[in-house]
Amino acid sequence: MSALRRAKTWEISESEESDAETIPDLNRDESGQILITVSTDLTDDQSSDHKCKTLPSSPTKTESSQTSALSPPRSDGCGTPSPARKRRTKEEIEADRQAARERKEARDRQRAARAREKEDRRQEQQRRREAAENLKSLRPENCLRCLTVCIDPGTPCCLQTVCFSPALLQQDGSDILLDTLTTFEWRFSIESQQLPHSITWTRDLIQGVGSVEEEQVVLVLGLTDFMDMVISGKKMLDSEGEETRMGSFLSPILECLNREAKKVTLLVSDSQTDNRTDAYGVHLLDETLQSKLGMENLDVEEVLVYLQLCKNISLVFLQGWQEVTNHVCAVTKALSKRPFKLLTEQAELPFCVDGSWASGVRVERDGLGLIQVWSRQIQQLNRVSPAVASTVTAAYPSPQLLLQAYQSLGSEEDRKGLLAALLVKSGGKERRIGPEISARVYRCFTAQNPQLVLD
């Protein structure tokens, strides 16, 4: 018994469809349907017969996508699409872009402001740090390290036909100066100077670039050199101020003072004289000048006054190199203290009031401002507030009216109590001026004694 097995309809998936498209020997009819031949088990009598059945093919991929796109949603509720989004207008888009740009600009401005504040803080800290360092460098103990003592090297000085005493460091006892500077660990240099036998000072700048020369100059002269300079000064004064070109220290000193503003100090010391104090200094100088040169005391004093007042040259008589060393050390310490003293002198006085009090009151040609001057004049009195002054000026707009009111009263007590009853309004409260302030104002404007104490 042969049984006919029914052919089943196969649904071809997309993957199978793609496979089917690649298979060349699949049978398709004119409508694009795939012909699938299904063989069935037949009986022995019908083993040679075959039946062909045509099955509908599944839609292609393009057709399925178009069908799914055009097909309405299923009624089961699965995959319900979202409602359609409302299209924005160009104005709304542009407004959103403008808002975004404004937010970005605001963020940039805030970022720039924070950067500026940070830079300002950094610069302020840098300025404070530099000011502190400058102030620290100006202190005497630190400024002393910036000074250099410059000493004339050691060659004898010859001007024309006159030769003077040996060079500065060739004199006996000059090693005391160098040993003292080395002990104090002060900087010094031995170099040629504009003036022979001179000692100068240089100061390094705060920035550390270059140096500046101080105005102080010290000349160490022997007694013989100083006498020659006095003789040259006397001849110059006798010739009505014409500077002579004689061989003395006076000519290079005057030339240096004409070129630069220097303060010269002459240290007169003679290492070859004995240690007798009564025969040294001015007395020995006078005796020598009188005995050898025939100059009187008035002539010497005239030369010294001329050097000091007209040329700003100071004169100091010293005994030996120890005192010369002490003087050089004193000048060095004084120069180290000068920058800090100048800094403190530049500060404003604390009791000077800034603002309108410092500049006063401007009075116009039409008299505008006189009432303020009158009020300020009353406020100069002790314990007189601006409210009290305003009350007085409101009752008596000028000092002349107040004086006329005083003259109209008969007794002294009435004049003293003229302003006592005036009401002063300040801070929402009223009070009277009182007899004390009234009497003080009266004494101020009517007293004849300039030394009278008002209080």
Side-chain angles (χ1 to χ4, degrees), residues 409-446:
L409 298 177
S411 62
E412 189 75 11
E413 296 297 330
D414 294 339
R415 297 191 185 99
K416 291 183 180 180
L418 176 63
L419 306 176
L422 296 179
L423 294 177
V424 180
K425 297 180 180 180
S426 61
K429 298 180 180 180
E430 292 185 357
R431 62 181 180 86
R432 299 184 183 277
I433 291 181
E436 182 182 357
I437 296 179
S438 178
R440 193 185 312 133
V441 174
Y442 169 73
R443 289 193 297 270
C444 177
F445 287 96
T446 60

Side-chain angles (χ1 to χ4, degrees), residues 313-445:
I313 299 176
S314 302
L315 178 64
V316 180
F317 287 96
L318 300 176
Q319 298 182 16
W321 271 93
Q322 183 60 51
E323 293 188 1
V324 173
T325 302
N326 296 338
H327 184 86
V328 172
C329 294
V331 175
T332 305
K333 292 181 180 180
L335 292 177
S336 66
K337 298 177 181 179
R338 173 180 292 182
F340 191 77
K341 289 184 178 180
L342 293 177
L343 182 63
T344 55
E345 291 176 359
Q346 292 176 357
E348 297 180 357
L349 298 177
F351 52 82
C352 290
V353 184
D354 297 334
S356 59
W357 275 102
S359 58
V361 178
R362 181 183 179 86
V363 179
E364 304 295 341
R365 292 185 177 181
D366 57 354
L368 183 62
L370 289 175
I371 190 69
Q372 286 82 4
V373 176
W374 172 224
S375 178
R376 297 283 181 84
Q377 185 177 0
I378 300 175
Q379 292 181 44
Q380 292 179 358
L381 300 176
N382 191 19
R383 295 189 301 276
V384 174
S385 63
V388 174
S390 300
T391 303
V392 175
T393 55
Y396 302 96
S398 67
Q400 185 65 28
L401 294 177
L402 181 59
L403 292 177
Q404 292 176 1
Y406 284 141
Q407 294 174 0
S408 63
L409 298 177
S411 62
E412 189 75 11
E413 296 297 330
D414 294 339
R415 297 191 185 99
K416 291 183 180 180
L418 176 63
L419 306 176
L422 296 179
L423 294 177
V424 180
K425 297 180 180 180
S426 61
K429 298 180 180 180
E430 292 185 357
R431 62 181 180 86
R432 299 184 183 277
I433 291 181
E436 182 182 357
I437 296 179
S438 178
R440 193 185 312 133
V441 174
Y442 169 73
R443 289 193 297 270
C444 177
F445 287 96

Side-chain angles (χ1 to χ4, degrees), residues 171-241:
Q171 299 179 9
D172 295 338
S174 61
D175 54 343
I176 299 177
L177 176 61
L178 300 180
D179 294 341
T180 303
L181 296 177
T182 304
T183 304
F184 289 158
E185 297 182 354
W186 292 351
R187 296 190 306 179
F188 66 91
S189 64
I190 301 175
E191 56 186 10
S192 300
Q193 305 295 322
Q194 294 182 358
L195 297 177
H197 292 204
S198 65
I199 300 175
T200 60
W201 288 263
T202 58
R203 184 193 308 274
D204 295 340
L205 298 178
I206 300 177
Q207 293 80 6
V209 180
S211 59
V212 61
E213 187 175 354
E214 297 289 344
E215 60 183 4
Q216 296 291 336
V217 179
V218 171
L219 267 72
V220 181
L221 301 180
L223 188 60
T224 305
D225 299 333
F226 179 72
M227 287 189 298
D228 295 336
M229 189 176 65
V230 171
I231 297 171
S232 300
K234 178 59 179 174
K235 292 181 179 181
M236 184 182 64
L237 294 178
D238 293 340
S239 60
E240 297 181 356

Side-chain angles (χ1 to χ4, degrees), residues 26-44:
L26 288 178
N27 298 326
R28 297 176 180 269
D29 58 0
E30 296 177 357
S31 61
Q33 295 181 348
I34 300 175
L35 300 178
I36 301 177
T37 304
V38 182
S39 61
T40 57
D41 295 339
L42 303 177
T43 59
D44 296 338

Side-chain angles (χ1 to χ4, degrees), residues 43-275:
T43 59
D44 296 338
D45 298 337
Q46 300 174 351
S47 59
S48 60
D49 296 336
H50 295 81
K51 293 183 179 180
C52 296
K53 295 185 178 181
T54 301
L55 299 177
S57 62
S58 61
T60 62
K61 182 176 182 182
T62 304
E63 295 174 353
S64 62
S65 61
Q66 293 177 356
T67 304
S68 62
L70 298 176
S71 60
R74 292 182 297 177
S75 59
D76 54 359
C78 299
T80 302
S82 59
R85 299 178 63 183
K86 182 180 180 180
R87 294 177 63 110
R88 296 185 300 169
T89 61
K90 293 182 178 180
E91 291 77 7
E92 294 176 349
I93 296 175
E94 186 64 24
D96 293 343
R97 291 178 180 176
Q98 183 65 23
R101 285 195 295 268
E102 291 177 357
R103 289 193 297 269
K104 183 179 179 181
E105 292 176 358
R107 289 194 298 269
D108 294 341
R109 287 193 297 268
Q110 293 178 358
R111 191 179 299 109
R114 288 194 295 268
R116 286 194 300 269
E117 292 178 358
K118 184 177 179 180
E119 181 66 18
D120 293 342
R121 289 194 299 268
R122 189 189 65 80
Q123 293 180 359
E124 183 65 22
Q125 292 177 358
Q126 182 67 18
R127 286 193 295 268
R128 292 181 179 178
R129 190 180 302 109
E130 292 177 357
E133 291 177 357
N134 293 339
L135 181 60
K136 184 178 180 180
S137 63
L138 293 179
R139 293 187 178 278
E141 60 273 9
N142 296 327
C143 189
L144 193 59
R145 303 188 184 96
C146 301
L147 288 176
T148 302
V149 183
C150 304
I151 307 173
D152 191 64
T155 56
C157 178
C158 296
L159 298 176
Q160 294 183 359
T161 59
V162 181
C163 294
F164 300 101
S165 59
L168 192 61
L169 297 182
Q170 294 180 357
Q171 299 179 9
D172 295 338
S174 61
D175 54 343
I176 299 177
L177 176 61
L178 300 180
D179 294 341
T180 303
L181 296 177
T182 304
T183 304
F184 289 158
E185 297 182 354
W186 292 351
R187 296 190 306 179
F188 66 91
S189 64
I190 301 175
E191 56 186 10
S192 300
Q193 305 295 322
Q194 294 182 358
L195 297 177
H197 292 204
S198 65
I199 300 175
T200 60
W201 288 263
T202 58
R203 184 193 308 274
D204 295 340
L205 298 178
I206 300 177
Q207 293 80 6
V209 180
S211 59
V212 61
E213 187 175 354
E214 297 289 344
E215 60 183 4
Q216 296 291 336
V217 179
V218 171
L219 267 72
V220 181
L221 301 180
L223 188 60
T224 305
D225 299 333
F226 179 72
M227 287 189 298
D228 295 336
M229 189 176 65
V230 171
I231 297 171
S232 300
K234 178 59 179 174
K235 292 181 179 181
M236 184 182 64
L237 294 178
D238 293 340
S239 60
E240 297 181 356
E242 294 182 1
E243 298 181 3
T244 60
R245 295 294 179 181
M246 296 183 60
S248 68
F249 279 98
L250 185 60
S251 297
I253 291 175
L254 297 181
E255 292 178 359
C256 180
L257 293 178
N258 293 333
R259 292 193 307 266
E260 303 176 5
K262 297 290 186 179
K263 294 182 179 180
V264 181
T265 302
L266 299 180
L267 303 182
V268 181
S269 174
D270 196 349
S271 59
Q272 297 178 358
T273 57
D274 53 11
N275 294 328

